[in-house]
Amino acid sequence: MDLLEKRILTDGEVYPGNILKVGSFLNHQLDITLLNEMGKEFKRLFSDCEVTKILTIEASGIAIASVTAQFFACPVLFAKKSASANLRPSVYKAPIHSYTHGNDYTAVVEKAFLTSEDKVLIIDDFLANGEALNGLIELCRQAGAEVVGCGIAIEKVFQGGGNKLRDKGVRVESLAMIETMENETVVFQK
Amino acid sequence: MDLLEKRILTDGEVYPGNILKVGSFLNHQLDITLLNEMGKEFKRLFSDCEVTKILTIEASGIAIASVTAQFFACPVLFAKKSASANLRPSVYKAPIHSYTHGNDYTAVVEKAFLTSEDKVLIIDDFLANGEALNGLIELCRQAGAEVVGCGIAIEKVFQGGGNKLRDKGVRVESLAMIETMENETVVFQK
């Protein structure tokens, strides 16, 4: 998606260690006009799926998921992050390791809100190693819900998570795919 | 706002200790159609303010703020919650005590995204004791930004936070104002 790639090049900040900061428009301050265009693009990409629910994870996935849901006319469900694995029986839970923050947490959703009737589009801002996505897919598996695909804003292709999921047959569509970030320069996969 | 009050009566769950759960439509699963109507109502209420930025706090304020921002054609900034008070000098920070969760945290925004040019509408899902709102107002004070008002989904009037802010001259508009929740029955202020 040209609009997002251009915005990453103009307003993204690259730091050593393959760190890309997009806090000025995507995950701290939010450019809602851009998010709207991203939502339209996700609708175009997944228009063949009868999406009944958009699933994301707090906090930075919520804005993209909420704006996108308007185009699918479906509710959003956001998984909560819990430091505890010892939770009420009314929830589905999946352990997730964050390479970014170097910690472990548990992704949690209430069972009442994710069911075997659901066709789920998973939305998130970043895809790197795929840990968060794997956790969200696991929540859907527990619920017996069908994952119709994953819509990602920015995929760091070189970190491999996206292609591992595609190899498993998961449909992953990323609006900006970063092939490399060597020498602090963003190169997109074409 | 009738639509929200009715929804609270039909889908809200009241528990002892003045606990109101609205996770089926407002802060876990999100009814985006309802959020859109709430956004329109905030626009009607604050149409006389030249809002340049909507400020909220993760996680449950983000969806309402993002959908609302479409009607103001302005960006959203969400404060992050940090367990540490020891933070980078590039951020504004305000301590907040959560009565709901019985803990303390620090609300943080990057200085670059909140400036003395900003006219800020603060949006959040709940107003009870007013601790979170006071923290967000404090972030604006540090930035020299003007707070034009606070738009709240559900105010627990009996917990006093909203009226304390109004007494200080802060404009607070709540879409559903709960006067009491005695005997697990929600009574709205008319």
Side-chain angles (χ1 to χ4, degrees):
Chain A
M1 188 192 182
D2 273 1
L3 192 67
L4 179 59
E5 291 185 359
K6 280 182 187 156
R7 191 61 175 275
I8 291 166
L9 294 179
T10 53
D11 291 337
E13 295 173 69
V14 185
Y15 295 94
N18 293 322
I19 293 166
L20 173 65
K21 292 211 173 184
V22 290
S24 66
F25 59 97
L26 195 67
N27 57 17
H28 181 25
Q29 183 169 245
L30 311 167
D31 179 340
I32 301 295
T33 307
L34 173 66
L35 265 54
N36 239 293
E37 292 304 317
M38 291 165 55
K40 277 183 209 164
E41 181 64 6
F42 284 131
K43 175 65 186 177
R44 191 186 67 79
L45 290 165
F46 293 100
S47 60
D48 57 323
C49 309
E50 292 161 351
V51 175
T52 66
K53 197 154 288 177
I54 289 180
L55 177 66
T56 188
I57 186 159
E58 64 176 1
S60 49
I62 297 174
I64 305 171
S66 298
V67 172
T68 297
Q70 297 177 118
F71 299 99
F72 289 89
C74 75
V76 169
L77 178 64
F78 70 86
K80 301 188 181 189
K81 293 176 179 174
S82 170
S84 164
N86 197 3
L87 292 155
R88 285 164 295 125
S90 67
V91 300
Y92 298 118
K93 57 191 182 201
I96 296 181
H97 175 75
S98 168
Y99 287 94
T100 312
H101 300 103
N103 61 357
D104 294 284
Y105 60 90
T106 304
V108 177
V109 295
E110 289 285 335
K111 288 180 180 175
F113 305 141
L114 193 61
T115 77
S116 59
E117 306 287 303
D118 277 317
K119 296 186 173 200
V120 178
L121 173 61
I122 297 175
I123 294 278
D124 210 356
D125 58 340
F126 270 100
L127 167 54
N129 297 288
E131 291 287 319
L133 273 196
N134 277 311
L136 295 175
I137 291 168
E138 167 61 18
L139 295 175
C140 291
R141 193 198 62 75
Q142 291 174 26
E146 179 189 347
V147 176
V148 299
C150 303
I152 304 296
I154 303 174
E155 178 177 345
K156 290 173 167 175
V157 180
F158 58 92
Q159 291 190 251
N163 285 331
K164 265 189 214 162
L165 283 163
R166 291 182 186 100
D167 288 347
K168 281 193 223 169
V170 179
R171 181 172 172 190
V172 181
E173 305 272 10
S174 302
L175 303 187
M177 300 184 71
I178 299 177
E179 193 166 79
T180 68
M181 287 173 60
E182 282 166 26
N183 306 314
E184 279 120 78
T185 303
V186 171
V187 177
F188 295 107
Q189 180 176 298
K190 291 296 174 189
Chain B
M1 189 191 182
D2 271 1
L3 192 67
L4 180 59
E5 290 184 359
K6 280 181 189 158
R7 191 63 175 273
I8 291 167
L9 294 178
T10 52
D11 291 337
E13 295 173 69
V14 185
Y15 295 94
N18 292 324
I19 293 166
L20 173 64
K21 293 213 171 180
V22 290
S24 66
F25 59 97
L26 195 67
N27 56 18
H28 180 26
Q29 183 168 245
L30 311 168
D31 179 339
I32 302 295
T33 306
L34 174 66
L35 266 52
N36 239 293
E37 292 303 316
M38 291 166 55
K40 278 184 209 165
E41 181 65 6
F42 284 132
K43 175 64 186 178
R44 191 185 68 78
L45 291 165
F46 293 100
S47 60
D48 57 323
C49 309
E50 293 159 351
V51 175
T52 65
K53 196 156 288 178
I54 288 179
L55 177 66
T56 188
I57 186 158
E58 66 177 2
S60 50
I62 297 174
I64 306 171
S66 297
V67 173
T68 297
Q70 298 177 117
F71 299 98
F72 289 89
C74 75
V76 169
L77 178 64
F78 69 85
K80 301 188 181 190
K81 293 176 179 175
S82 171
S84 165
N86 197 4
L87 292 155
R88 287 163 294 125
S90 67
V91 300
Y92 297 118
K93 58 189 183 204
I96 296 181
H97 175 75
S98 168
Y99 287 93
T100 311
H101 299 104
N103 62 356
D104 294 285
Y105 61 90
T106 304
V108 177
V109 295
E110 289 286 335
K111 288 180 181 175
F113 306 142
L114 194 60
T115 77
S116 59
E117 307 287 303
D118 277 318
K119 295 186 173 199
V120 178
L121 173 60
I122 297 175
I123 295 277
D124 209 357
D125 57 340
F126 269 100
L127 167 54
N129 296 287
E131 292 287 319
L133 274 197
N134 278 310
L136 294 175
I137 291 168
E138 168 60 18
L139 295 175
C140 292
R141 194 200 60 73
Q142 291 174 26
E146 180 188 346
V147 177
V148 300
C150 303
I152 303 297
I154 303 173
E155 177 176 347
K156 291 174 166 174
V157 180
F158 57 94
Q159 290 190 252
N163 285 331
K164 267 191 212 160
L165 282 163
R166 291 183 186 98
D167 288 347
K168 283 194 221 168
V170 179
R171 181 171 170 190
V172 181
E173 304 273 10
S174 302
L175 303 187
M177 300 184 72
I178 299 177
E179 193 167 78
T180 69
M181 287 173 59
E182 282 166 26
N183 305 315
E184 280 118 79
T185 303
V186 171
V187 178
F188 294 107
Q189 180 177 296
K190 292 296 176 189

